[in-house]
Amino acid sequence: VCTQQELLLCQSLPKNLLFQLLGLSIATLSTVTHYGLHFTLISNISLESNSYRVIHHAAFYFGICLSMTLILAALLSSAATVQESQCLTAMGFFCFALAFCGLIPAACWRYTHGTEVENSMMDVYDLVYEEVRRNASSFRRHELTAIHEAFLCCGKRSLFGDTANVERKTCPSGQVRDAGQDCLQEIQDFLKKHMDFVSMLLGITIGFTVYGMILTSFLWFSIHFSSNLDRKGKYTLR
C-alpha cells in the first residue's frame, strides 16, 4: 500500500519528465529557427532598418529562457516531491507562473503581429532582387542566388520590365523560370508552415504550464496538511 507522499511521487515524476521534454522541444525549435539556413540567410542579408533581425534574435533568446524556466520548474517540482519541501514547491510554482506570464504576451504577439515576420522576410528578398535588377551588383547577385538555392525558388513576378536576365544569372542551374516557384510565394508558404508549428507548440506549452501551476499548488497543500497531521497527537515533556 502506497502512502500519500509515495502516491504523489508516482504521479508527479512522469509529468515532470513531460515538462522537461517540452522544455527541450522549445529549445530545439529555437535553435533550429536561429541557426537554420533559411532564417540565418535572411537575417544576414537584412538591413538594420528591417525589423526581421531584431525579431530573429528576440525569438531565440525568448525560446531559450522559456525552455530553461520549464526545465527548472520540473526539476524543482521533482525535488519538492522527493524531499516533501514546501519551499521547493513554491519555487516550482513561481517558475511555472513566470513561464505563463511570458507565454501569454508571446501568443498575443503571434496573432496580432503574425504578418510582420512574413512581410519583413519578403521585404529583404524584394530589396536584394531589385538591387540586382537595377545594378547587377555581384555581391547582391551572390546573395540572391543563395536565397534561390535555399528556398528552391526562382525569381518573382515583377511589374518593372523583363526579369529573365536576373533569373537566368541567379536561379539554380537547370531550373527553368516557368517551372520554378515564385520566391515571394515560396517564402510565405515556408514561413506559414513554420509559424503554424510555433503556434501549436505555444498552445501546448500554455496548457501544460497551467497544469503545472495546478499540480504544484496541489502538491504544496498536500505537503502542508500532511505535515500538520503528522504533528497531531505528539507531545513533548518540558
Side-chain angles (χ1 to χ4, degrees):
V1 180
C2 292
T3 64
Q4 184 180 12
Q5 299 303 323
E6 291 173 343
L7 183 61
L8 282 174
L9 180 63
C10 295
Q11 291 177 347
S12 63
L13 288 182
K15 297 179 177 64
N16 291 331
L17 180 60
L18 289 177
F19 287 118
Q20 295 181 37
L21 292 176
L22 184 60
L24 290 175
S25 300
I26 295 173
T28 302
L29 179 62
S30 301
T31 304
V32 169
T33 302
H34 191 262
Y35 295 103
L37 174 62
H38 301 80
F39 299 102
T40 54
L41 183 61
I42 298 296
S43 178
N44 293 334
I45 297 174
S46 64
L47 302 177
E48 293 183 359
S49 57
N50 191 292
S51 61
Y52 176 76
R53 187 174 297 180
V54 176
I55 298 173
H56 183 241
H57 291 290
F60 172 72
Y61 293 120
F62 172 79
I64 295 299
C65 291
L66 177 62
S67 65
M68 292 176 62
T69 303
L70 288 174
I71 294 174
L72 179 60
L75 293 175
L76 288 173
S77 299
S78 299
T81 306
V82 174
Q83 299 182 11
E84 301 180 15
S85 171
Q86 291 179 267
C87 179
L88 292 177
T89 306
M91 292 173 63
F93 177 86
F94 175 77
C95 288
F96 281 121
L98 186 63
F100 180 78
C101 291
L103 283 166
I104 294 302
C108 292
W109 187 92
R110 164 66 184 93
Y111 288 103
T112 56
H113 297 79
T115 59
E116 185 174 342
V117 181
E118 176 183 308
N119 293 336
S120 61
M121 288 186 72
M122 291 191 293
D123 286 343
V124 172
Y125 180 80
D126 273 330
L127 172 68
V128 176
Y129 188 93
E130 292 304 321
E131 286 194 7
V132 172
R133 188 180 67 84
R134 291 193 303 265
N135 303 324
S137 169
S138 60
F139 180 72
R140 287 298 189 186
R141 187 166 61 245
H142 175 73
E143 293 177 341
L144 188 61
T145 303
I147 295 176
H148 288 164
E149 292 176 350
F151 287 92
L152 298 178
C153 58
C154 182
K156 68 171 185 175
R157 296 179 180 89
S158 177
L159 301 176
F160 302 99
D162 186 22
T163 59
N165 186 43
V166 176
E167 292 157 3
R168 185 173 61 254
K169 293 181 178 178
T170 59
C171 288
S173 58
Q175 185 174 3
V176 183
R177 170 66 184 91
D178 294 335
Q181 296 291 329
D182 181 83
C183 276
L184 293 180
Q185 185 63 44
E186 193 69 18
I187 291 173
Q188 188 177 22
D189 293 341
F190 169 81
L191 194 59
K192 184 179 183 301
K193 293 177 182 178
H194 186 79
M195 295 303 288
D196 287 343
F197 186 76
V198 170
S199 299
M200 180 183 68
L201 190 59
L202 275 176
I204 294 174
T205 307
I206 289 174
F208 271 92
T209 303
V210 173
Y211 178 74
M213 289 190 292
I214 296 174
L215 182 64
T216 49
S217 299
F218 177 76
L219 180 61
W220 189 91
F221 282 109
S222 176
I223 294 174
H224 176 73
F225 288 118
S226 176
S227 178
N228 287 341
L229 287 174
D230 289 342
R231 294 190 184 97
K232 289 186 177 181
K234 295 182 179 180
Y235 302 93
T236 57
L237 297 176
R238 296 183 179 178

